[in-house]
Amino acid sequence: MARIHGRPRGRSIAAVVLGTALAASGCAQAGGATKTAATVSVKAAPAAFVHPGVLVSQSQLDFVRSKVKAGAQPWKSAYGQMMGSRYASLSRTPAPRAVVECGPISNPNHGCTDEREDALAAYTDALAWYVTRDARYADKAIQLMNAWSAVLKDHTNSNAPLQSGWSASAWPRAAEIIRYTYTGWKSDAITRFGGMLRNVYLPKVINGSNSNGNWELSMMEAAVGISVFLNDRTSYDKAIARFRKRVPAYIYLSSDGALPVAPAGSGIDTKSEIVKYWQGQSTFVSGLTQETCRDFVHTGYGISAISHVAETSRIQKEDLYPEVGERLRQALGFQAKYQLGAAAPSWLCGGTLKRGIGPVTEVGFNALHNRSGIAMTNTQKLTEQQRPAGTNNLFVAWETLTHADNPA
């Protein structure tokens, strides 16, 4: 890719790094040659963390509030969807427990659903508070966070790392909004909540996983969010370092060579092992993910976590979009093409795809298309078709509301 010396007016640095030549392409094309965006030397932790600064910033929240108050679409319908959900109920009763036990596919399910949904409810209430300025929602978020931080001690069984990643992706979003925009959360309760994040969640997620990529990406999303809330530069640096290695091992680009990048420390280093790890897929094209041939649901989890970490890094003034943006663009475009109904060729997953990517495209689409001016035809069509994007009831929620066409 030719080096670009000047930056066109009105375009972000990410757009320049990705290159104007990419702007004409709407999605990854099977067998098409692409170039990886130049790896940018990005510091990880900022000198001082920005708050609120996990997935949504103060300026983004202000934009959302102004659009909802004006009755503008799609924010009005997205807000109505959120407020009509069970997560916004002011009669919700927290269901904390000391030990959350989650086996494969949450079986057994001892507190798994309760924990994830209480975390999502706290985030929902925090957003509702910011838009309405109705203190009842802030107080409900505080009630949920206080209830869990007073009780939770551990996660057990095989899905403990993933459960921790999902729940601890949502908790810091809620906590950041409430802590920095509302005065009613007592300092001792904030300290206790921070202790829960540091002592219960962080040890479960910070060292990552060699399981399927969506696990480690969700775990790094949690670790990054926790680190922002705790103002912990050391854990932030560690999480970002692992994230930067995992993204190339999750989304393939033709510039990687004949085979995908292996996950760091996995010991997967032969073609047969890589093919097995990539769900039996032996033909690799830009935008294919390590879990595309498993199903689009899990692929969506991985793509979503990548976009969430990149968005948080941008808020924290150490933007990772220039580094991961081309992989994210290609993954969104490739999956969107088939989610929209294109028939799978025989070389792709044996000609059979399990679709159902979920409400995961808004954050990446907004960053790459709206902020950086990159055309993403299939991703745009899918994103607009799915609006308002709701929640996957795990760790993704209300992203049409928070990120649709959000320039902040």
Side-chain angles (χ1 to χ4, degrees), residues 331-354:
L332 284 167
F334 186 86
Q335 266 62 221
K337 174 181 176 179
Y338 294 105
Q339 183 67 36
L340 287 165
S346 59
W347 58 263
L348 177 61
C349 310
T352 301
L353 295 172
K354 296 179 181 178

Side-chain angles (χ1 to χ4, degrees), residues 86 89-96 114 118 121 140 143-144 147-148:
R86 65 182 182 272
S89 172
L90 289 171
S91 62
R92 185 180 191 89
T93 301
D114 290 337
D118 276 354
K140 177 57 69 172
Q143 180 193 21
L144 292 162
W148 279 89

Side-chain angles (χ1 to χ4, degrees), residues 2-8 16:
R3 180 170 303 200
I4 300 172
H5 295 282
R7 177 152 73 104
V16 174

Side-chain angles (χ1 to χ4, degrees), residues 165-363:
W166 284 341
S167 300
S169 290
W171 285 128
R173 297 177 210 155
E176 282 280 299
I177 295 171
I178 297 299
R179 183 179 185 180
Y180 293 100
T181 70
Y182 184 66
T183 59
W185 197 9
K186 295 181 179 178
S187 59
D188 59 340
I190 294 172
T191 299
R192 189 179 69 198
F193 183 83
M196 177 185 73
L197 294 181
R198 181 178 296 283
N199 300 318
V200 180
Y201 288 105
L202 193 58
K204 283 288 193 293
V205 298
I206 191 64
N207 293 316
S209 167
N210 285 323
S211 184
N212 283 304
N214 82 87
W215 276 52
E216 185 157 84
L217 290 164
S218 292
M219 292 162 70
M220 291 310 102
E221 179 184 349
V224 166
I226 289 169
S227 300
V228 172
F229 183 80
L230 297 176
N231 293 294
D232 185 337
R233 300 180 77 251
T234 299
S235 63
Y236 188 94
D237 284 348
K238 185 173 182 178
I240 291 295
R242 183 167 286 272
F243 170 80
R244 293 171 76 180
K245 291 178 180 178
R246 173 56 84 163
V247 174
Y250 193 71
I251 301 170
Y252 175 81
L253 289 181
S254 60
S255 54
D256 293 334
L259 295 173
V261 176
S266 66
I268 298 172
D269 56 8
T270 67
K271 181 176 181 179
S272 62
E273 289 172 335
I274 288 173
V275 168
K276 181 178 179 181
Y277 189 63
W278 282 64
Q279 320 299 322
Q281 180 68 13
S282 58
T283 300
F284 301 99
V285 298
S286 293
L288 186 79
T289 80
Q290 183 254 319
E291 296 184 276
T292 297
C293 293
R294 180 186 185 186
D295 57 58
F296 278 22
V297 173
H298 289 88
T299 296
Y301 299 165
I303 290 173
S304 182
I306 291 169
S307 65
H308 291 172
V309 173
E311 189 73 358
T312 295
S313 77
R314 184 192 67 87
I315 294 167
Q316 296 304 325
K317 312 297 186 186
E318 300 293 349
D319 192 352
L320 286 171
Y321 277 119
E323 182 173 333
V324 305
E326 174 62 353
R327 291 186 192 271
L328 181 58
R329 182 187 79 92
Q330 292 283 358
L332 284 167
F334 186 86
Q335 266 62 221
K337 174 181 176 179
Y338 294 105
Q339 183 67 36
L340 287 165
S346 59
W347 58 263
L348 177 61
C349 310
T352 301
L353 295 172
K354 296 179 181 178
R355 295 172 174 85
I357 196 169
V360 303
T361 64
E362 289 278 15
V363 176

